[in-house]
Amino acid sequence: ARYGYQMLARGHEMTPPPVASAFGLSAPEEMLHIEALHLADDAPFILEDRWVSLGTCPEIVDVDLSVQSANEWLVMHKPYDLMDLRFYAVNANGEMAARLNVSEGAALLVIERSTWIGKRPITTVRSVTAVRTLFGLWFSTSLSAAAKVIPELSTSSTSIIAFRLIIAEFSSVMSASNGFVLSKLNVTSSTLAL
């Protein structure tokens, strides 16, 4: 699949309670808030809602995020050593359905990921994709678009095997749970490096 990217919104905002909680903050902080759409073959693939800590990543304010995604910049400039990762499913509401070009009520996979350097927060992101889109991309054996959005994926066979195991586990849990909360993983970068 051919990868594409569109920044939808960018601004400095105070963190809402769920974002502050994801980072373990006792009070809201001003952070960079970015909304973006990742494309596969010019079709909507992943809707991203990202918050970036300006205390940990002040340089990002000078990056043209309409050309380079925040994820790409962060992967190259702010390697993390702690990650919190959650998978769950939701049904598409009107706005999500329109942005992802799916029917209202369609099943969506949500991946929430927060990263830190030591105890300093880097970013928290909520990535939403239609399950049919994710599996369609996977079965076409093209991971290039997914790897740009989810840095834990790469072209290494170890990462691909790990991703296959996550998807296999997700599939079995989805059928057993009818789409409720799937899992929560706390992962360190040393766990990912095999």
Side-chain angles (χ1 to χ4, degrees), residues 45-159:
F45 175 60
I46 292 180
L47 181 61
E48 175 183 299
D49 184 7
R50 178 181 297 273
W51 293 81
V52 180
S53 170
L54 295 171
T56 308
C57 311
E59 312 90 339
I60 200 165
V61 298
D62 298 323
V63 178
D64 184 353
L65 297 176
S66 66
V67 175
Q68 180 182 33
S69 77
N71 189 71
E72 288 178 274
W73 186 88
L74 289 165
V75 166
M76 293 187 306
H77 296 92
K78 296 293 178 180
Y80 62 86
D81 55 21
L82 179 65
M83 173 180 67
D84 181 69
L85 185 64
R86 292 179 41 141
F87 298 87
Y88 59 96
V90 296
N91 295 106
N93 63 24
E95 181 181 345
M96 281 187 219
R99 288 185 168 180
L100 289 169
N101 196 25
V102 296
S103 302
E104 204 164 328
L108 301 176
L109 169 65
V110 179
I111 301 171
E112 290 182 350
R113 179 171 40 91
S114 300
T115 58
W116 293 262
I117 297 173
K119 294 184 178 188
R120 295 178 299 145
I122 302 171
T123 189
T124 188
V125 61
R126 183 176 191 255
S127 302
V128 182
T129 188
V131 174
R132 65 157 174 78
T133 305
L134 179 64
F135 285 100
L137 182 66
W138 173 252
F139 288 120
S140 72
T141 66
S142 175
L143 291 173
S144 61
K148 290 210 180 234
V149 178
I150 306 170
E152 290 72 33
L153 301 181
S154 71
T155 55
S156 75
S157 59
T158 303
S159 295

Side-chain angles (χ1 to χ4, degrees), residues 170-179:
F170 169 74
S171 299
S172 63
V173 175
M174 273 294 285
S175 60
S177 71
N178 294 320

